Amino acid sequence: MILRCCVVDDEPLASGLIASYITKTPFMELAGEFSSPKDAISTILDGDVDVVFLDINMPQLNGIEFAKIIPPSVRIIFTTAYDNYAVEGFRVNALDYLLKPISYDEFLAAGNRALQWYELNSRRNEGELSSANQEYIIVKSEYKLVQIAVKDILYIEGLKDYVKIYTEGSDKSTMTLISMKALERTLPANRFMRVHRSYIVNLPKIKIIERNRIVFGKVAIPISDSYKQAFADYIARRTLTLRPEEDQE
């Protein structure tokens, strides 16, 4: 796979350095070098770019603002001299955040992450990761791609634009910038159910239900009224009960 890349930076030396890195990297191709977002936008919107190496501090339209109008299919790698934009970079779903001066090793590591993302996305589009029997999901967390075994997921907690994925055997959660609806569409519907606005549970992992709450260790997940009937139907189909005459036997 060859990634078509462009550089958007108003500093000629910094822009030229990144452009030279692109041309010397075997899986990359330079699609353009631009001194402002205004000059780059038509090339990006025409679909000729896979990855944008984007400066942040630029006149008229800064990199954070520009990132918000770039199509989500185009991956962004910020290149900046300032570290105080890292959180904002994460919020606009940037793939990486490189601090100037940028060495080729740092550039190549970010490039490899972009290549990995496109390869995984290509496989997903081909249906290899989207079947009901899928074994893994891949999410971006803190500028890393993390592969999570679906069978290990206990539950997912929604927090505005982010979610936390809790897995069996781990004290830590994985936080990623994705919506609960997107995860609902991705996870196998025969194994996962949304039981609350803020919670999705792995049905086969449920061991205790107490007072209208699903208990995972010390965590009690509420079942809201909006999802109560669907969950009750699921439980009813799997609950064993004795008939009166069987009880007398």
Side-chain angles (χ1 to χ4, degrees):
M1 179 177 287
I2 301 296
L3 299 180
R4 288 181 54 78
C5 308
C6 76
V7 186
V8 184
D9 196 322
D10 63 335
E11 299 177 14
L13 289 177
S15 179
L17 178 65
I18 298 298
S20 71
Y21 286 167
I22 292 170
T23 56
K24 70 184 283 189
T25 304
F27 58 85
M28 288 184 175
E29 180 180 291
L30 184 62
E33 187 179 347
F34 306 97
S35 60
S36 73
K38 177 176 64 68
D39 295 334
I41 188 63
S42 61
T43 300
I44 294 171
L45 293 182
D46 284 345
D48 292 334
V49 175
D50 299 310
V51 180
V52 179
F53 289 89
L54 181 61
D55 187 22
I56 292 180
N57 274 347
M58 291 182 287
Q60 296 181 343
L61 185 66
N62 69 38
I64 296 292
E65 294 168 339
F66 186 51
K68 295 176 182 178
I69 62 176
I70 291 176
S73 59
V74 178
R75 307 310 298 165
I76 298 167
I77 296 175
F78 282 119
T79 58
T80 179
Y82 304 93
D83 60 4
N84 55 312
Y85 291 102
V87 173
E88 290 180 83
F90 184 69
R91 286 175 179 163
V92 296
N93 207 25
L95 193 64
D96 214 329
Y97 189 100
L98 302 179
L99 284 175
K100 299 175 181 176
I102 300 164
S103 69
Y104 182 66
D105 287 344
E106 293 171 320
F107 170 89
L108 188 58
N112 277 318
R113 278 190 281 274
L115 181 65
Q116 184 182 21
W117 186 91
Y118 273 101
E119 288 176 340
L120 292 171
N121 195 53
S122 176
R123 288 168 55 200
R124 184 180 293 112
N125 289 339
E126 291 169 2
E128 294 181 21
L129 297 178
S130 60
S131 70
N133 297 318
Q134 72 183 63
E135 297 182 3
Y136 300 93
I137 59 171
I138 291 117
V139 298
K140 185 164 76 74
S141 180
E142 297 179 351
Y143 300 111
K144 296 178 291 187
L145 290 175
V146 180
Q147 181 170 266
I148 300 172
V150 170
K151 66 179 180 61
D152 291 340
I153 297 174
L154 290 175
Y155 63 93
I156 297 157
E157 180 183 9
L159 302 168
K160 280 196 171 182
D161 297 330
Y162 299 86
V163 301
K164 285 185 176 181
I165 302 173
Y166 294 84
T167 54
E168 199 168 36
S170 176
D171 296 331
K172 295 182 178 180
S173 63
T174 300
M175 188 166 73
T176 183
L177 181 63
I178 193 173
S179 69
M180 292 286 278
K181 285 185 178 180
L183 265 180
E184 269 190 293
R185 291 193 297 266
T186 301
L187 293 168
N190 61 332
R191 297 168 64 185
F192 288 84
M193 180 180 290
R194 192 165 184 175
V195 296
H196 187 277
R197 181 179 179 182
S198 301
Y199 291 98
I200 296 172
V201 297
N202 188 345
L203 296 168
K205 295 292 184 182
I206 296 174
K207 295 180 179 178
I208 299 173
I209 303 168
E210 181 181 56
R211 297 178 183 175
N212 205 38
R213 297 179 302 175
I214 299 165
V215 180
F216 289 109
K218 296 181 180 180
V219 177
I221 294 174
I223 304 166
S224 69
D225 291 340
S226 302
Y227 302 94
K228 188 179 295 183
Q229 188 58 56
F231 185 72
D233 292 344
Y234 167 81
I235 294 300
R237 291 194 298 270
R238 288 157 178 80
T239 302
L240 298 178
T241 57
L242 291 176
R243 298 175 184 174
E245 59 271 23
E246 293 174 331
D247 193 28
Q248 292 173 5
E249 294 177 2

